[in-house]
Amino acid sequence: NTQAMSRNIFIKFSSTLATGLGGFVLSILLNRHFGKDSYGLLVLVYTVTGLAFIFSDLGAKRTLNRYVPVVASGAEPTMQLGPLVGVAFLIQLGGALLFTALITLGSEFLAVWFFQKAALAPLILVGAWYFFGFAMFDFFVQLFQSLQDWKKEAVLSIGFVLFQIVTLTIGLLVFNLSLGAVLVLNGLSAIGSVLLGVTLLPRSLLRQLAAGVHVRDFTKYGRVIGRF
């Protein structure tokens, strides 16, 4: 109904606003603490991880957005929600691991030959850890969006930003962390958000996922994901 739609729009808008403001606060905090030159190195790392992020889901998240609403409503009786989400998760996990390995192996090349900044290599190496955590975190964000559970999606998105703000504020003010440690904390915040996402999943879906993903499920839903 109209009231529910308005409420969902408000929740989504509030979540987007909160995460945007949180990211803005974090950028100011890091820029002031490290200075524009060092902060620029951090931005370059985020550029690398952002580019890898575009391809890392291997079609899993687009499949969720396309099929989960249909399957959850019962409009597609030939599909089951648990196996679909389980296979999508495994494919996302595989894609995240693959691109984490590529970033790790290519860190020296990207730093020296592409950006011509040798000091960037160890940061890209650590950035691979952050990339993996963020890729898995975003999978759960997309899952809640596809389930049209805007409250839980908002909790997860805002929770990630709060994790970052709290850990980085304490780390920078108390321990005077390095740039590499910032990326590690960002990765930990993402992993923490993944764990939060697991606790927010509907119990019915958790029971289906607990039953495991069989080979026939991977074959069936893997083909569906492969189309994307």
Side-chain angles (χ1 to χ4, degrees):
N1 54 40
T2 304
Q3 185 178 2
M5 183 179 297
S6 299
R7 183 173 61 251
N8 290 334
I9 291 174
F10 175 76
I11 291 173
K12 181 62 177 176
F13 172 77
S14 300
S15 171
T16 303
L17 180 62
T19 53
L21 288 175
F24 181 68
V25 170
L26 284 172
S27 64
I28 293 176
L29 178 67
L30 292 171
N31 198 2
R32 287 188 174 183
H33 183 82
F34 292 108
K36 63 178 183 179
D37 291 335
S38 295
Y39 180 71
L41 294 177
L42 200 60
V43 171
L44 291 178
V45 175
Y46 289 142
T47 300
V48 172
T49 57
L51 182 61
F53 176 75
I54 296 173
F55 305 100
S56 64
D57 74 302
L58 303 179
K61 288 183 289 193
R62 283 167 288 178
T63 302
L64 292 181
N65 291 330
R66 168 64 179 83
Y67 286 102
V68 166
V70 179
V71 176
S73 67
E76 183 53 75
T78 62
M79 292 185 176
Q80 292 180 301
L81 186 60
L84 172 62
V85 173
V87 171
F89 174 81
L90 290 175
I91 289 177
Q92 170 66 85
L93 178 62
L97 289 171
L98 171 63
F99 279 87
T100 296
L102 290 175
I103 293 172
T104 301
L105 295 173
S107 59
E108 193 74 27
F109 171 79
L110 289 170
V112 176
W113 297 101
F114 193 78
F115 292 109
Q116 297 183 352
K117 293 181 180 293
L120 191 61
L123 292 178
I124 295 177
L125 197 62
V126 179
W129 152 258
Y130 159 74
F131 161 79
F132 175 79
F134 187 79
M136 299 310 300
F137 154 74
D138 191 68
F139 174 85
F140 281 88
V141 172
Q142 295 296 323
L143 176 57
F144 286 116
Q145 287 182 358
S146 63
L147 289 169
Q148 298 180 1
D149 194 330
W150 308 113
K151 288 183 180 180
K152 290 181 179 179
E153 187 268 337
V155 169
L156 188 60
S157 297
I158 295 173
F160 174 56
V161 174
L162 288 178
F163 282 151
Q164 285 184 298
I165 291 176
V166 171
T167 55
L168 288 178
T169 300
I170 295 174
L172 294 175
L173 296 181
V174 178
F175 300 103
N176 194 29
L177 297 179
S178 65
L179 282 174
V182 168
L183 291 167
V184 171
L185 285 180
N186 282 344
L188 287 174
S189 296
I191 295 298
S193 299
V194 168
L195 297 177
L196 174 61
V198 172
T199 65
L200 293 174
L201 289 175
R203 291 184 179 179
S204 58
L205 178 55
L206 282 173
R207 285 195 294 268
Q208 293 182 55
L209 292 173
V213 176
H214 302 287
V215 175
R216 64 178 181 275
D217 296 325
F218 200 89
T219 301
K220 177 180 179 179
Y221 296 106
R223 290 176 179 173
V224 174
I225 295 172
R227 299 171 189 167
F228 289 87

